[in-house]
Amino acid sequence: MADAPYLVALALVDLNGKRLLPLNGKSRKPLETTDADPSPDPGEEGRALALELLLRLWQRSDEGPIQRAAGDDSLLLLEMPLELISERLPLLKANWIGGAETASLQAELRQLALRGWRISIAKYEPVTFSAWS
């Protein structure tokens, strides 16, 4: 695992038919894992990043309707090595916004991520993080 992982929340969405890939992130200490639980819940840091990203999206809804672009995989939280964030993520983002296949973006993100989670919520339930594999 990298010495300085970075936690990134990102959303694959369409706004008025135009793709957006807003993201939000912060550096963090590596999560403790076990063989039995290789992808622990990212905790309050993950919840805070997701909330901030969703609030930014909500503000953008004044510009038009926002729609998920990748179903249940539209809102993700990824732990990545910091050096990959500045090197690879801007290119992946630009390619996807420019029309690259969503499946290609997701495959490349899976290769870069140390671990990843889908972010979801059900009525009367707290935010949940499920392993994104």
Side-chain angles (χ1 to χ4, degrees):
M1 178 157 304
D3 292 332
Y6 205 79
L7 202 56
V8 179
L10 53 89
L12 286 75
V13 296
D14 290 318
L15 173 65
N16 283 330
K18 179 181 170 188
R19 285 180 169 180
L20 299 178
L21 185 58
L23 50 93
N24 188 28
K26 70 179 278 187
S27 61
R28 65 170 307 152
K29 294 179 184 174
L31 290 173
E32 296 296 321
T33 63
T34 65
D35 290 338
D37 188 9
S39 233
D41 186 297
E44 287 308 310
E45 285 179 315
R47 284 174 184 73
L49 285 173
L51 175 61
E52 187 176 320
L53 180 64
L54 289 171
L55 287 172
R56 287 178 36 218
L57 277 173
W58 180 68
Q59 289 174 328
R60 298 272 321 252
S61 70
D62 289 343
E63 300 170 30
I66 294 175
Q67 188 173 18
R68 296 185 308 169
D72 290 340
D73 288 341
S74 294
L75 186 58
L76 301 172
L77 186 68
L78 305 176
E79 187 176 62
M80 304 174 77
L82 181 57
E83 57 274 8
L84 293 180
I85 300 296
S86 59
E87 291 175 12
R88 301 282 311 276
L89 200 52
L91 181 59
L92 292 177
K93 179 177 177 174
N95 287 343
W96 186 74
I97 288 172
E101 291 293 322
T102 300
S104 296
L105 171 69
Q106 291 171 329
E108 292 191 53
L109 289 172
R110 282 185 177 96
Q111 289 178 357
L112 298 177
L114 300 169
R115 69 181 112 216
W117 301 268
R118 283 185 194 99
I119 305 169
S120 60
I121 192 164
K123 194 171 186 176
Y124 306 118
E125 297 293 326
V127 170
T128 58
F129 295 92
S130 56
W132 184 58
S133 50

